[in-house]
Amino acid sequence: MWNWLKERVLYLAWLQALVATLGSLFFSEVMGWTPCVLCWYQRILMYPLVAVLAVGILLKDKRVSTYVLPLSIGGFLIAAYHNLLYYGVIQEVCKQGVSCTTRFFAWFGFITIPLLSLLAFAIITTLMLIHRKENS
């Protein structure tokens, strides 16, 4: 199992970035939900990952984690902050545009857009750390 994962980390990270990108576009363009400011920041960090990972795969670049980790860690930190706001752990200060605590849905009562983003960035970051360890 471990060998299977090590051989496919880049593909899995690319797939996660693609699903997250298409999911966020579905929410805004098909469902018509306007993203909050923090969602925009997370999109800015997620969308390029699709291209960066694809180029890394095509070029067989062993250093791709060097390019991906700053984006995925930055996105993870913003998503973590967003979740703290969303669940009321800290108070929202920015009141411009759509509130960062707007509840669009909660699958199974707890899977929300901020949580999906946090999980996507966590998965990509974890996969890139595995890739980095295996290619150092």
Side-chain angles (χ1 to χ4, degrees):
M1 177 75 169
W2 180 249
N3 287 332
W4 182 90
L5 179 67
K6 289 190 302 188
E7 294 171 6
R8 292 165 180 82
V9 289
L10 291 181
Y11 296 100
L12 294 170
W14 175 80
L15 183 61
Q16 177 62 73
L18 181 65
V19 168
T21 297
L22 294 176
S24 73
L25 289 171
F26 175 80
F27 291 146
S28 61
E29 301 305 316
V30 176
M31 300 299 291
W33 298 337
T34 304
C36 70
V37 172
L38 291 176
C39 287
W40 278 115
Y41 292 147
Q42 290 166 77
R43 286 175 175 213
I44 289 167
L45 294 170
M46 180 62 74
Y47 290 7
L49 290 176
V50 177
V52 171
L53 285 161
V55 170
I57 290 167
L58 291 171
L59 297 178
K60 298 181 183 352
D61 188 350
K62 293 183 184 262
R63 298 173 301 150
V64 70
S65 62
T66 304
Y67 318 129
V68 171
L69 280 170
L71 296 170
S72 67
I73 292 170
F76 177 82
L77 293 173
I78 293 170
Y81 177 73
H82 193 178
N83 276 275
L84 291 173
L85 282 174
Y86 187 85
Y87 292 108
V89 176
I90 56 177
Q91 190 171 4
E92 186 173 21
V93 282
C94 178
K95 300 290 183 188
Q96 295 178 343
V98 176
S99 171
C100 292
T101 60
T102 301
R103 184 177 206 123
F104 290 105
F105 69 85
W107 292 329
F108 307 111
F110 72 96
I111 301 173
T112 61
I113 293 174
L115 182 60
L116 288 172
S117 178
L118 181 70
L119 290 173
F121 281 115
I123 289 167
I124 294 168
T125 299
T126 301
L127 291 169
M128 289 300 96
L129 291 171
I130 292 169
H131 181 268
R132 180 179 214 140
K133 180 179 181 269
E134 294 302 317
N135 290 285
S136 59

